């Protein structure tokens, strides 16, 4: 069973436990509101969790807009996927979209692995609920060397994680790496805690095991972007160290906005950049419909 989520939740947000596609998981949501705009569903990246979106969700709560973030299988406080393959994650995302749709449709915003899953959802036979997709730094054909090597190193890392590493030391190390690689900066304590709150040796072994299989499959397959028929936007930080922008050519033909000086996880320190990307997608779609 996955560990229990932290009990401390910002006043404006709610935590909910649900079962999505047979996977027990956690949603973080802005409060129920009366709003005719589509709901926004946020998907996090590899080793991350729904907590990465808390600041963005609070921005939407201030606006009175409904938004959700979900722990992907084997991440955060979610259970194991039914199978360790991208198609199992595709099914989970599709079910999550259907679960949060209140009738106005859903815009999916994904970071890193979540961005790739969002694009795959758009490229597949789209759900009637899916209105558009924003992918932030999705894995292209260039990755951080550690991710490139993960399929081969996964068994070794799992063994190392069985060593008696003190829990506090493991959390400090994980938080430091997350800040330096994901944000290219130090993080306020509350943001670092959002990441490290779910970190344990057992949880990391699980996510590394799944990640080895997922990244092996990513290296062997490409998302068929030419078949996407709904509004899509890609946001990419010019200083992304995890998924360097040089790998963006695999998504050629899709609208790409380069965030100058931006890191891999803009939601951490630059949440308004994420909100602006969603707003641009919706404005472009509204203009297209009006014409």
């Amino acid at each position: 069973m996955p560990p229990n989520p932290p009990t401390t939740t910002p006043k404006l947000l709610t935590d909910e436990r649900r079962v999505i596609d047979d996977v027990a998981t956690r949603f973080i949501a802005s409060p129920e509101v009366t709003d005719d705009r589509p709901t926004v569903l946020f998907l996090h990246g590899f080793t991350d969790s729904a907590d990465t979106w808390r600041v963005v969700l609070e921005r939407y709560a201030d606006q009175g807009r409904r938004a959700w973030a979900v722990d992907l299988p084997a991440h955060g406080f979610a259970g194991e996927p039914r199978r360790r393959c991208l198609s199992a994650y595709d099914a989970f995302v599709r079910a999550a979209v259907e679960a949060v749709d209140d009738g106005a449709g859903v815009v999916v915003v994904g970071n890193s692995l979540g961005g790739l899953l969002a694009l795959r959802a758009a490229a597949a036979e789209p759900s009637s609920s899916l209105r558009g997709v924003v992918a932030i730094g999705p894995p292209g054909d260039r990755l951080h060397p550690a991710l490139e090597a993960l399929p081969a190193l996964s068994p070794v890392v799992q063994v190392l994680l069985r060593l008696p590493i003190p829990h506090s030391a493991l959390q400090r190390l994980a938080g430091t790496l997350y800040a330096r690689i994901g944000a290219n900066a130090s993080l306020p304590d509350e943001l670092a805690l959002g990441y490290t709150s779910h970190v344990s040796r057992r949880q990391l072994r699980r996510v590394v095991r799944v990640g080895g299989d997922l990244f092996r499959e990513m290296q062997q397959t490409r998302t068929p972007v030419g078949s996407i028929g709904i509004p899509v936007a890609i946001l990419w930080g010019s200083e992304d160290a995890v998924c360097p922008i040089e790998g963006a050519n695999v998504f050629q033909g899709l609208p790409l906005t380069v965030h100058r000086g931006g890191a891999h996880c803009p939601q951490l320190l630059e949440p308004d950049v994420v909100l602006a990307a969603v707003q641009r997608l919706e404005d472009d779609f509204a203009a297209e419909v009006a014409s």
Side-chain angles (χ1 to χ4, degrees), residues 46-47 112 139 143-151 215 219 242-243 264:
F46 178 61
T47 80
S112 196
L143 295 173
H144 189 281
L147 294 180
E148 293 278 8
L150 185 60
F215 280 93
Q219 292 168 358
V242 179
C243 299
H264 187 58

Side-chain angles (χ1 to χ4, degrees), residues 23 30-31 36 64 72 90 93 107 127 134 136 144 208 210 274-275:
V23 177
S30 60
D36 59 0
L72 292 170
D90 293 338
V93 170
V107 172
S127 159
V134 177
I136 304 171
H144 189 281
V208 167
V210 171
V274 177
L275 270 66

Side-chain angles (χ1 to χ4, degrees), residues 2 4 20 33 51 55 77 85 87 98 101 138 145 153 174 205 261 278:
N4 291 323
I20 301 294
V33 294
D51 290 295
V55 179
F77 301 97
C85 60
S87 62
E98 299 289 346
D101 185 9
L153 293 180
R205 286 198 306 270
V278 176

